[in-house]
Amino acid sequence: MLSLSDLEEARITGEKVNYYFICKRKLWLFDRGIQLEGSSEKVSLGKLLHDTAYPRDTRKEVLIDNLIAIDIISGGNVREVKYSRKMEEADRWQLYYYLFYLEQLGIRKKGVINYPRQKKREFIELTDAIKTRLIEILKEIREILSLPKPPPAEKLPYCTKCAYYTFCFSG
Ligand code: SF4
């Protein structure tokens, strides 16, 4: 069983759990501080949306262990706001991770993912099966992060939109 100190030591953030589902190479590069995401217009739009999409909601930003940044909204749910639904699976596991991390601290919460541009939202909850799978995922993330070199670049459908595209495929 992974402990909180294991998660802290591996510096596993929600973004890293998200990247695990998108691309293992991206996860490794991001972890090593090669952070080109700031140059991505879509990421900037996502951040703007996160800050402005629901002006009437009461929302509290919480940073836990200098590692996990979450939004608690009225009703006590943990909320993630996403720009598009293209990476729903990654979004879901990122939020499961936040709920799991909180549960390790003795705090049980439910999650909600908002897609304001599509006017959709999805409620999620931790189950035993999800926790078991999440622990496997976190172990796999730790293994990837301990590799001396990044996993090889593989052409994925969304590579051309990725901030690391030039880095991966500039020849
Ligand atoms: S360009 Fe493709 S292979 Fe490279 S990090 Fe991004 S998603 Fe992964």
Side-chain angles (χ1 to χ4, degrees):
M1 178 74 179
L2 282 171
S3 68
L4 269 187
S5 58
D6 291 333
L7 300 176
E8 279 177 51
E9 189 196 309
R11 305 303 298 161
I12 298 180
T13 61
E15 247 164 342
K16 289 180 193 173
V17 174
N18 192 294
Y19 289 170
Y20 169 86
F21 285 92
I22 293 173
C23 169
K24 314 286 187 275
R25 179 176 170 86
K26 181 172 179 153
L27 164 65
W28 191 97
L29 292 170
F30 177 79
D31 178 67
R32 296 303 157 104
I34 305 167
Q35 296 188 15
L36 308 178
E37 292 289 24
S39 59
S40 157
E41 191 185 341
K42 203 156 250 175
V43 169
S44 304
L45 285 173
K47 282 183 180 143
L48 185 66
L49 200 62
H50 202 275
D51 291 341
T52 59
Y54 301 95
R56 279 182 296 184
D57 281 0
T58 355
R59 140 182 184 239
K60 194 172 176 195
E61 274 187 22
V62 185
L63 178 66
I64 301 166
D65 296 336
N66 215 18
L67 183 67
I68 302 290
I70 57 168
D71 271 1
I72 307 276
I73 55 168
S74 42
N77 289 329
V78 178
R79 180 174 72 188
E80 266 297 297
V81 179
K82 295 293 185 186
Y83 183 79
S84 102
R85 299 183 75 189
K86 285 193 185 138
M87 303 295 178
E88 278 179 310
E89 190 186 19
D91 299 342
R92 221 172 273 139
W93 284 100
Q94 180 178 354
L95 192 46
Y96 282 139
Y97 176 57
Y98 293 151
L99 300 181
F100 176 78
Y101 199 99
L102 287 173
E103 196 177 275
Q104 306 311 297
L105 295 167
I107 304 164
R108 287 187 69 89
K109 295 276 180 201
K110 292 182 183 170
V112 57
I113 309 174
N114 282 110
Y115 297 97
R117 289 171 68 239
Q118 296 79 14
K119 298 189 171 33
K120 297 275 178 204
R121 68 181 169 174
E122 181 183 343
F123 289 95
I124 68 164
E125 216 170 320
L126 275 182
T127 63
D128 287 343
I130 287 165
K131 280 189 264 182
T132 303
R133 177 66 190 126
L134 184 58
I135 288 165
E136 286 167 13
I137 290 165
L138 295 172
K139 282 186 189 154
E140 286 164 34
I141 289 176
R142 288 211 310 172
E143 282 165 23
I144 293 165
L145 300 187
S146 68
L147 293 173
K149 287 195 296 187
E154 272 177 59
K155 261 283 166 72
L156 297 164
Y158 34 81
C159 278
T160 52
K161 303 249 167 61
C162 174
Y164 294 107
Y165 183 70
T166 313
F167 185 85
C168 290
F169 297 106
S170 63

